[in-house]
Amino acid sequence: MKVLVPTIVDGLDALEGAQVVRFDPAAPIPDEHLDADVLVGWGLGDAQLADAATRLRSLRMVQLLSAGSDAALAAGFAPGVAICSGRSLHDRPVAEHALALILAAARRLHTLVRAQLEHRWASELGGIQPEPSPGVFTTLRDARVTIWGYGSIGSTLAPHLQALGAHVTGAATRARTEGDVEVVDRDALPALLERTDVLVMILPATDATRHALDATMLAHLPRHAWVVNVGRGATVDEAALVAALEADALGGAALDVTEVEPLPASSPLWERDDVILTPHAAGGRPLGAASLVAANVAALANGDPLANLVQVVGD
């Protein structure tokens, strides 16, 4: 079995029973390796994925190291190719980044950095402060946090929020209870948003989730609420978000992902004092990738069920 592994992935120089071939993820797959059985997808752009889908005609599995699989599903791989995600590999880094964004919003670190660059002592944010601060999100103590897209990342994030005093509720396609976290379905979400201080978006990009957070859903959030998106940019209606911020109908937004990446220089999000932007930096470190790839290569060879199977193309 021939397994194509990007040069940027460590720990995969040898796989039992397989020939590992390293390739440059920024370049087309060399012709001599078009007979590969497995493609490990990490660092490939849309053009590289489409090229691989067209030319790798013996492919049996695409093992992604990303949590999302939308790009691979759209690439046009042949029927019968199994697409497996990197679900769980990014749980801890993304949860950590989400927590950092929430705390930065609460403690106004973005405003303080601007003041520092201006050599200005931001006395309005220092010294004696009311507790609680009415109409402003300033702390996770007793804050009501909703995690929309409550999966493995959300369940990793929740205990950290709870340890700092937050009350966490999840939202997903199916209502349930996970540990001590109540998870509501879409029908119950509007009422939940009305009593939310921080909305954390961790939704995947699908046809069903495109602009899930639109003007109607944004209108349910209190005026002081913050939106934090560490999922996919397409799940938030960016124009509606900007409109809500301009109308002073939201406390702010902390965005690690945007509809177009990199975010165009013309976007009004750049100039807003109530917006924190990071460059899709929440993930980028797939923890445990080597173990997942090795397990799925072995499962493919033995005809066993594949971990994190998203779809077999054509099914």
Side-chain angles (χ1 to χ4, degrees), residues 50-145:
D51 178 73
T54 299
R55 298 170 61 231
L56 295 174
R57 305 316 298 176
S58 299
L59 202 64
R60 299 168 60 194
M61 180 176 73
V62 176
Q63 176 61 68
L64 302 170
L65 302 187
S66 57
S69 56
D70 45 301
L73 292 173
F77 286 98
V81 175
I83 308 293
C84 299
S85 77
R87 184 180 187 271
S88 81
L89 300 183
H90 300 272
D91 292 356
R92 286 177 286 167
V94 176
E96 185 177 71
H97 196 84
L99 180 62
L101 290 176
I102 295 168
L103 289 173
R107 304 310 303 164
R108 299 298 187 269
L109 295 189
H110 55 301
T111 303
L112 294 169
V113 168
R114 286 188 172 94
Q116 179 181 346
L117 294 174
E118 297 168 358
H119 294 198
R120 183 179 69 83
W121 188 260
S123 56
E124 73 277 11
L125 294 175
I128 298 172
Q129 303 168 52
E131 173 62 27
S133 301
V136 184
F137 169 60
T138 60
T139 178
L140 278 171
R141 294 186 302 277
D142 290 324
R144 300 158 299 181
V145 180

Side-chain angles (χ1 to χ4, degrees), residues 31-218:
D31 290 345
E32 63 266 31
H33 299 307
L34 295 182
D35 59 344
D37 301 278
V38 176
L39 171 67
V40 175
W42 184 242
L44 283 74
D46 291 345
Q48 284 80 10
L49 276 172
D51 178 73
T54 299
R55 298 170 61 231
L56 295 174
R57 305 316 298 176
S58 299
L59 202 64
R60 299 168 60 194
M61 180 176 73
V62 176
Q63 176 61 68
L64 302 170
L65 302 187
S66 57
S69 56
D70 45 301
L73 292 173
F77 286 98
V81 175
I83 308 293
C84 299
S85 77
R87 184 180 187 271
S88 81
L89 300 183
H90 300 272
D91 292 356
R92 286 177 286 167
V94 176
E96 185 177 71
H97 196 84
L99 180 62
L101 290 176
I102 295 168
L103 289 173
R107 304 310 303 164
R108 299 298 187 269
L109 295 189
H110 55 301
T111 303
L112 294 169
V113 168
R114 286 188 172 94
Q116 179 181 346
L117 294 174
E118 297 168 358
H119 294 198
R120 183 179 69 83
W121 188 260
S123 56
E124 73 277 11
L125 294 175
I128 298 172
Q129 303 168 52
E131 173 62 27
S133 301
V136 184
F137 169 60
T138 60
T139 178
L140 278 171
R141 294 186 302 277
D142 290 324
R144 300 158 299 181
V145 180
T146 296
I147 300 175
W148 190 358
Y150 195 84
S152 60
I153 296 173
S155 61
T156 301
L157 173 61
H160 297 291
L161 298 171
Q162 292 169 325
L164 291 171
H167 306 285
V168 179
T169 306
T173 55
R174 179 176 59 87
R176 59 190 187 276
T177 299
E178 287 197 15
D180 56 357
V181 175
E182 178 189 4
V183 182
V184 306
D185 60 18
R186 173 82 183 221
D187 291 340
L189 186 56
L192 176 61
L193 293 183
E194 290 175 2
R195 56 182 191 275
T196 291
D197 300 306
V198 181
L199 171 63
V200 182
M201 302 285 292
I202 320 181
L203 287 171
T206 66
D207 290 341
T209 62
R210 177 169 175 77
H211 287 183
L213 186 63
D214 56 12
T216 300
M217 297 301 278
L218 283 165

Side-chain angles (χ1 to χ4, degrees), residues 71 154 163 195 220 244 290 293:
R195 56 182 191 275
H220 289 288
V293 173

